[in-house]
């Protein structure tokens, strides 16, 4: 199966090692509890970064919990929870990957995010919520 550049990037960043590195860089003051996201990665992402979307679709609890936390808190509406640039970066990278994953799972089965909207419409839709605001993945990718 051909994988779009953004999908590959998302898969590579979604590995447990990347999350552990981000958590260490952010320190103990991480803005949201990333334990549910870590469980998703541990259960459904292979050592080479392949994501088992069908498995996540059947077991959505942790992903939904994490996406709800993203919707509630962000550096702009709860800055005290994201006091350092590292904590903010960890939030944005993990939020992007979790929201991409949630979007793919919502429409699964699909071969590519390219099939989820004309001209990368999947990334342009502003149906994601972060810190109480609707936002597109494209905006998240370009501004933060």
């Amino acid at each position: 199966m051909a994988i779009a550049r953004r999908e590959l990037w998302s898969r590579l960043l979604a590995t447990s090692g990347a999350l552990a590195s981000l958590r260490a860089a952010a320190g103990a003051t991480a803005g949201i509890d990333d334990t549910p996201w870590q469980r998703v990665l541990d259960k459904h992402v292979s050592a080479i970064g392949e994501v088992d979307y069908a498995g996540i679709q059947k077991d959505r609890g942790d992903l939904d919990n994490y996406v709800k936390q993203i919707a509630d808190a962000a550096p702009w509406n709860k800055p005290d929870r994201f006091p350092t640039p590292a904590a903010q970066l960890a939030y944005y990278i993990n939020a992007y990957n979790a929201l991409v994953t949630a979007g793919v799972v919502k429409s699964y089965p699909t071969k590519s995010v390219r099939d989820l909207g004309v001209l990368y419409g999947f990334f342009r839709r502003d149906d994601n919520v972060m810190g109480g605001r609707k936002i597109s993945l494209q905006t998240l990718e370009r501004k933060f």
Side-chain angles (χ1 to χ4, degrees):
M1 168 189 329
I3 299 171
R5 176 185 58 82
R6 292 181 188 196
E7 288 176 281
L8 180 59
W9 183 76
S10 179
R11 287 181 182 194
L12 292 174
L13 284 177
T15 64
S16 296
L19 182 59
S21 296
L22 289 170
R23 185 184 301 124
T29 57
I32 60 177
D33 176 15
D34 61 8
T35 306
W37 182 232
Q38 183 66 58
R39 282 194 296 262
V40 170
L41 300 177
D42 289 345
K43 287 182 196 175
H44 303 290
V45 179
S46 75
I48 61 170
E50 293 176 330
V51 180
D52 175 13
Y53 292 109
I56 297 171
Q57 192 175 50
K58 292 176 187 173
D59 180 20
R60 291 189 56 123
D62 283 327
L63 178 61
D64 291 343
N65 177 323
Y66 195 68
V67 169
K68 185 177 178 184
Q69 288 186 71
I70 292 166
D72 179 58
W76 57 77
N77 76 332
K78 301 199 178 176
D80 56 311
R81 292 170 65 181
F82 305 91
T84 65
Q88 294 169 21
L89 179 62
Y91 171 83
Y92 290 127
I93 291 172
N94 289 326
Y96 181 87
N97 283 299
L99 293 172
V100 168
T101 301
V104 172
V105 166
K106 180 179 177 182
S107 300
Y108 195 79
T110 186
K111 290 183 180 180
S112 170
V113 294
R114 292 179 186 183
D115 298 336
L116 301 178
V118 178
L119 298 173
Y120 291 101
F122 174 80
F123 293 95
R124 293 183 179 150
R125 291 190 307 245
D126 67 349
D127 58 355
N128 300 290
V129 180
M130 292 176 64
R133 286 189 203 163
K134 287 192 172 201
I135 191 168
S136 71
L137 292 167
Q138 183 180 51
T139 298
L140 176 57
E141 183 178 317
R142 291 184 177 177
K143 289 193 176 183
F144 301 104

